[in-house]
């Protein structure tokens, strides 16, 4: 390639006003982004990024950090951040126009990043940099960026023979489109169902706030009575509390057949929402990609950037864990079946739509409290106060309300400040479920920490997104939002990811915060934070009854604690079955030979082998397994359990400190955790970070003990 002499493209006057361009290094004015802004902004940023690539591969450009890595990082980061804004809005404020604009440019963005990892000249430049004397002068984080880049070039197809590269690029495009289609089908199938109840007697057992939310939804939809959707805050209270078995069955069947060939009538025959073929096609493409790169299967390919060493190691980890959990799961199931028979007159065996209901009743009888009673002690503002208190005490920071531009009126923003008042980071909290927002909870990177070419530090920004039930009006008065204890755990979990991103001290973008952390270790900080949701000293200060303002009574806390591992045997086994399904779909499944319902058949055979709860014939849960078909966890779902081992072991250091100091909120241990785990991000292997904090390799004992799965 000849020498690049042209200057980088400059935005036109119109483009300078485009909110996806004008925010520069700052924060986007989300509410100003229109679907029509997307294509022109992305086209310009792709042109700018391509110019940076052309400059990088020019023979006249030295293979150095400052001349090669930094300018390339600069251009691709701007593209990534604008694309990140668009993807974020697509997840939290979906409209048909936005979805169409997003879908139109996605192939171009995917193609650009695929071409980067296949660019032989760029690969060669990074190789030169890794082999020249300058490399030794780079800091640890910079070296890790180069080493990860070389690995990613190999995984991105840079070393493939030229005739194979177009097909490899095609595979990336097809996978991106299929992943988006999978996600769209799940959202459409979830949004597409509304069930109206006209007689309140049918809602016997449902808590007042669930009934109020249903009345609210009916009003929004201009319907008479009470409306229920398949969004979790609407769906799950029915399964948990409603005494009307036929209503539970109707909701259950609609929920477990979403995005499948069995989807009920509301789909009006829209079998284009059926994900059966989509899953098979994704597995075929992944298998083809792995074999092109010289791996036996996609599971083996997925381990290249992970902590686990081999396909067999992961399979053994999961099957051994399943064997340890199974006796406890069987005990849980027999207890529940016996209770349903003797106390609930469900004599013919528990049906799937009875399980959550019977579990809630057994829990109430055994521990004399209900989730709904407990929920009244967790108003969201008070929970946030408690969460911030934990973070501030452990990590020596201050969290303050900020005033960043948002995409919805419910969204809050905050700054994380150091001891001297300096702003270290910002984050958003988008707490409530609403139409056009995808379900679940997640943390995402809005902007990463890095040192800019002028020497300044760009501070990180994160999104924390949840789907709690929104506040509702009761008798014309807006009640403050209360969340379940499970929601509290979710909030702490996502904040753990957030802290990993926000408190990093690494200045090389590729390994700062969560970037570059092995996928199976990235859940360590999130799962670690969940432990504080079970500590009296935390809950005492984090609770205030929605009506009386009184904190959680100690007696109720003791019941919660006793109930903590209620049915943990079978819930653990359920997660392991999901992990094994994902793992074996990618490790031993033969997608080329597979037809029809082969994915469902494999998931059923694994459940039959390991699970203790009989499966419903109609269940198509795999058709909505978005983590592995639309969320980046393909051959990686095991990492939740893998990281739980790490996080429980890390938390046991705080328990050990509490024996000496009387508090798990031990600042000394917190400072060490911040320094050895959070601040280093992906700048060194996770195993090294774990050992630096714990002084030894991880073991499973703490997790089994915490989960009530340790044999006496």
């Amino acid at each position: 390639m000849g020498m690049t002499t042209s200057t980088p493209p400059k935005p036109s006057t119109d483009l300078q006003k485009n909110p996806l361009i004008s925010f520069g290094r700052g924060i986007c004015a989300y509410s100003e982004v229109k679907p029509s802004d997307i294509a022109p902004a992305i086209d310009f940023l792709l042109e700018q990024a391509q110019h940076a690539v052309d400059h990088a591969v020019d023979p006249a450009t030295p293979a150095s950090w400052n001349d090669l890595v930094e300018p390339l990082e600069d251009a691709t980061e701007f593209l990534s951040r604008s694309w990140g804004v668009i993807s974020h809005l697509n997840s939290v404020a979906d409209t048909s126009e936005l979805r169409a604009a997003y879908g139109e440019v996605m192939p171009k963005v995917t193609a650009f990043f695929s071409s980067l990892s296949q660019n032989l000249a760029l690969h060669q430049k990074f190789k030169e940099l890794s082999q020249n004397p300058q490399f030794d002068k780079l800091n640890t984080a910079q070296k890790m960026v180069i080493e990860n880049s070389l690995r990613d070039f190999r995984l991105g197809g840079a070393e493939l023979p030229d005739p194979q590269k177009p097909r490899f690029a095609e595979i990336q495009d097809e996978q991106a489109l299929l992943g988006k289609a999978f996600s769209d089908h799940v959202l459409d199938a979830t949004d597409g169902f509304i069930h109206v109840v006209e007689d309140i007697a049918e809602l016997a057992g449902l808590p007042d706030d669930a009934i109020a939310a249903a009345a609210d939804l009916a009003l929004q939809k201009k319907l008479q009575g009470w409306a229920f959707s398949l969004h979790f805050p609407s769906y799950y209270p029915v399964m948990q509390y409603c005494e009307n078995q036929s209503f539970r069955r109707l909701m259950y069947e609609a929920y477990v057949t979403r995005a499948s060939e069995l989807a009920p009538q509301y789909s009006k025959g829209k079998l284009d929402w059926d994900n059966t073929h989509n899953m098979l096609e994704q597995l075929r493409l992944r298998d083809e990609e792995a074999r092109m790169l010289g791996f036996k299967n996609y599971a083996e390919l997925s381990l290249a950037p992970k902590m686990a060493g081999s396909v067999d190691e992961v399979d053994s980890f999961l099957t051994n864990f399943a064997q340890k959990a199974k006796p406890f799961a069987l005990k849980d199931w027999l207890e529940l079946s016996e209770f349903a028979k003797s106390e609930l007159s469900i004599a013919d065996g528990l049906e799937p739509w009875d399980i959550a209901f019977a579990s809630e009743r057994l829990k109430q009888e055994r521990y004399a409290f209900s989730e709904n009673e407990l929920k009244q002690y967790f108003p969201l503002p008070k929970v946030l106060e408690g969460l911030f208190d934990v973070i501030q005490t452990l990590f020596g920071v201050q969290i303050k309300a900020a005033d960043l531009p948002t995409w919805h009126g419910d969204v809050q923003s905050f700054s994380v400040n150091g001891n001297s008042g300096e702003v270290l980071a910002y984050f958003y909290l988008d707490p409530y479920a609403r139409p056009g927002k995808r379900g679940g909870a997640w943390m995402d990177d809005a902007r990463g920490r890095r040192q800019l070419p002028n020497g300044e530090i760009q501070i990180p920004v994160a999104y924390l997104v949840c789907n709690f039930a929104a506040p509702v009006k009761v008798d014309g008065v807006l009640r403050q939002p209360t969340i379940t204890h499970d929601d509290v755990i979710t909030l702490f979990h996502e904040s753990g990811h957030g802290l990993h991103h926000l408190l990093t001290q690494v200045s090389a973008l590729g390994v700062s915060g969560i970037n570059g952390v092995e996928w199976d270790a990235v859940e360590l900080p999130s799962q670690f934070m969940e432990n504080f949701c079970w500590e009296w000293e935390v809950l005492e200060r984090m609770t205030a009854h929605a009506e009386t303002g009184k904190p959680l009574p100690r007696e109720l806390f003791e019941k919660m604690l006793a109930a903590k591992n209620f049915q943990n045997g079978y819930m653990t086994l359920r997660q392991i079955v999901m992990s094994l399904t994902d793992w074996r779909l990618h490790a031993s499944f033969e997608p080329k030979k597979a037809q029809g319902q082969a994915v469902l058949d494999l998931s059923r055979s694994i459940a039959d082998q390991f699970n203790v709860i009989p499966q419903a014939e109609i269940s198509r849960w795999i058709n909505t397994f978005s983590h592995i078909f639309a969320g980046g966890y393909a051959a990686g779902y095991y990492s939740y359990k893998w990281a739980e081992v790490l996080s429980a072991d890390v938390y046991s250091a705080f328990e050990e400190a509490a024996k000496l100091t009387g508090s798990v909120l031990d600042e000394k241990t917190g400072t060490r955790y911040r320094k050895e785990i959070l601040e280093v991000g992906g700048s060194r292997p996770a195993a090294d970070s774990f050992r630096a904090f714990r002084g030894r390799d991880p073991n499973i004992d703490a997790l089994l003990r915490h989960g009530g799965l340790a044999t006496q």
Side-chain angles (χ1 to χ4, degrees), residues 525-540:
S526 53
Q527 291 172 341
F528 160 77
M529 284 296 290
E530 293 181 19
N531 292 284
F532 293 103
C533 302
W534 297 101
E535 297 289 351
W536 172 246
E537 65 176 302
V538 174
L539 290 188
E540 188 182 20

Side-chain angles (χ1 to χ4, degrees), residues 25 40 50 112 152 213 290 307 329 380 541 563 663 677:
R25 296 196 186 281
Q50 188 56 53
F112 171 77
D152 293 343
M307 189 175 167
L380 184 56
R541 287 183 282 177
S663 172
I677 308 277

Side-chain angles (χ1 to χ4, degrees), residues 239 245 248-249 252-253 333 336-337 340 346 348-358 613-617:
M239 305 314 296
Q245 191 185 39
R248 292 200 308 266
R249 178 175 183 166
Y252 171 83
E253 290 184 344
W333 179 242
L336 187 65
S337 302
I346 302 177
D348 299 332
L350 276 170
E351 295 290 356
W353 46 87
D354 298 324
I355 293 172
F357 177 73
I613 299 174
Q615 298 167 82
E617 196 56 45

Side-chain angles (χ1 to χ4, degrees), residues 85-99:
V85 167
I86 299 161
S87 302
H88 176 68
L89 290 173
N90 188 56
S91 293
V92 296
D94 178 57
T95 63
S96 55
E97 296 82 9
L98 178 69
R99 187 186 290 190

Side-chain angles (χ1 to χ4, degrees), residues 110-144:
T110 309
F112 171 77
F113 284 107
S114 294
S115 73
L116 267 192
S117 51
Q118 285 191 30
N119 190 317
L120 261 187
L122 199 55
H123 181 209
Q124 196 53 42
K125 275 282 172 77
F126 272 81
K127 253 188 187 167
E128 273 177 51
L129 174 51
S130 72
Q131 289 162 1
N132 75 28
Q134 261 223 350
F135 183 76
D136 296 329
K137 295 175 186 167
L138 297 178
N139 63 40
T140 310
Q142 290 171 328
K143 285 178 182 168
M144 187 65 105

Side-chain angles (χ1 to χ4, degrees), residues 573-630:
L573 205 53
R574 178 177 172 271
Q575 285 298 106
I576 295 171
V577 164
M578 290 170 81
S579 302
L580 269 168
T581 302
D582 165 45
W583 193 247
R584 293 190 180 170
L585 278 172
H586 294 100
S588 54
F589 187 62
E590 294 189 33
K592 278 186 181 165
K593 295 179 185 173
Q595 297 291 325
Q597 298 282 8
V599 175
L600 176 67
D601 293 343
L602 179 78
S603 77
R604 284 187 176 285
S605 70
I606 291 169
D608 288 343
Q609 185 183 350
F610 291 98
N611 219 340
V612 296
I613 299 174
Q615 298 167 82
E617 196 56 45
I618 64 161
S619 176
R620 298 290 185 270
W621 71 270
I622 193 90
N623 286 51
T624 55
F625 197 179
S626 295
H627 272 80
I628 71 166
F629 292 112

